[in-house]
């Protein structure tokens, strides 16, 4: 195989990007058309870069129909920095922040919030393994909470919210790192949304933050400047040098997503892709899904086999067959097929074929 041939990349993130985006970035890498310099070499204060940033934000706004009540920011530090920035900015003194703990990333989020103020775990499954999303009546929400934090898709465990929880008047904060823009999202039901870019949005190094403007009043001047949402909002994501190349590629990815028909259209493709894998998993019982059926993720499809030896063989043979990155997260074991927006449907078909053949030989 030529060294530049692309294989099917099932990695959980950083993950596959649309080929058309990579090709455009490659074509224009040495000199942006009409600029004569690489996007990596120009000032972030130049008109060229400002246009790139503004267009990316406009495309994000258009994709999710985001009203002027919200500010869209592209920051740094990954979703992990948001675990700290969220409570530092909006966990008001004396109030409680509710966390719905549905997986390993939610556990990390609440851990950081505890360092800042009072938290309440509104629900958790118990134990180390997470298999589902809670039912509404299971949530133990605090009246008057500063906010309620959720994780829309649990990357490690392959579970995903199908419907937002009802949280009354409390601001809803969602870590959407691993399913942002994989399906329609009702921004107006959220107070704050954040996502590391490196799954559906672009390369790592950029973090999307969408915040309802009235929350910005909670950011106190005493916060470290770079941790302050209001500073970033007031400066249009340009308080300091932003990750220019990452924002450029994110912008190309947003344009690509609009060309696919936007969130409704990509949502249908994602339903179909995941549906094929779950149908194969459920066909005989040889493969065992780790997520409960009503909580299954469209982005991260997790499954196990009868023994760890068989799982090792599956990983070895699938990798050799050009199906890369199927090893599950170490906390869960087994297999995980991450099939984000840019993951081609042919790759899903190839995995289904591989699973059939593997079962025929080893079942
Ligand atoms: N939240 C979720 C749901 C994630 O999947 C990840 C990364 N896989 C993170 C947070 C952490 O993101 P980052 O590495 O950008 O800090």
């Amino acid at each position: 195989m030529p060294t530049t041939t692309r294989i099917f990349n099932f990695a959980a993130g950083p993950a596959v990007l649309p080929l058309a985006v990579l090709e455009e970035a490659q074509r224009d890498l040495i000199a942006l058309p009409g600029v004569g310099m690489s996007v990596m070499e120009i000032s972030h204060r130049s008109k060229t870069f400002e246009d790139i940033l503004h267009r990316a934000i406009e495309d994000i706004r258009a994709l999710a129909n985001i009203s002027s009540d919200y500010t869209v920011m592209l920051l740094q530090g990954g979703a992990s920095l948001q675990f700290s920035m969220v409570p530092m900015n909006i966990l008001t003194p004396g109030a409680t922040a509710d966390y719905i703990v549905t997986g390993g990333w939610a556990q990390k989020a609440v851990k950081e919030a505890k360092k800042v103020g009072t938290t309440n775990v509104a629900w958790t499954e118990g134990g180390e393994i997470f298999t589902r999303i809670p039912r509404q009546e299971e949530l133990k929400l605090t009246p008057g909470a500063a906010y309620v934090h959720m994780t829309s898709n649990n990357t490690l465990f392959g579970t995903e919210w199908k419907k937002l929880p009802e949280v009354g008047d409390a601001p809803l904060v969602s870590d959407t790192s691993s399913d942002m823009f994989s399906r329609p999202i009702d921004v107006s039901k959220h107070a704050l949304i954040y996502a590391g870019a490196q799954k559906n949005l672009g390369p790592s190094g950029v973090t999307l933050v969408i915040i309802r403007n009235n929350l910005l009043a909670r950011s106190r001047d005493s916060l470290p400047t770079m941790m302050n949402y209001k500073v970033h909002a007031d400066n249009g994501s340009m308080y300091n040098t932003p990750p220019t190349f990452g924002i450029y590629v994110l912008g190309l990815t947003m344009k690509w997503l609009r060309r696919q028909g936007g969130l409704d259209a990509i949502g249908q493709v994602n339903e179909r892709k995941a549906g094929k894998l779950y149908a194969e998993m459920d066909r005989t019982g040889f493969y065992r899904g780790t997520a409960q059926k009503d909580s299954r993720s469209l982005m991260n499809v997790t499954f196990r086999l009868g023994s760890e030896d068989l799982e090792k063989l599956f990983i070895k043979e699938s990798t050799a067959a050009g199906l890369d990155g199927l090893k599950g997260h170490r906390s869960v074991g087994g297999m995980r097929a991450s099939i984000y927006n840019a993951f081609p449907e042919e790759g899903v078909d190839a995995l289904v074929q591989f699973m059939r053949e593997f079962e025929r030989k080893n079942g």
Side-chain angles (χ1 to χ4, degrees), residues 112-147:
E112 295 308 312
K114 269 192 194 141
K115 296 177 186 176
V116 176
T118 309
T119 57
N120 165 51
V121 172
W123 183 81
T124 189
E125 196 164 342
E128 290 299 302
I129 295 293
F130 293 81
T131 65
R132 70 181 179 95
I133 298 301
R135 294 185 301 279
Q136 180 70 35
E137 64 274 18
E138 293 178 291
L139 301 179
K140 300 221 161 34
L141 299 172
T142 308
Y147 61 89

Side-chain angles (χ1 to χ4, degrees), residues 77-80 83 105 151 153 155 175 177-178 196 198-199:
S80 298
F83 297 165
W105 294 111
T151 312
N153 183 72
T155 327
D175 173 1
S177 292
S178 51
Q198 64 271 20
K199 289 112 167 42

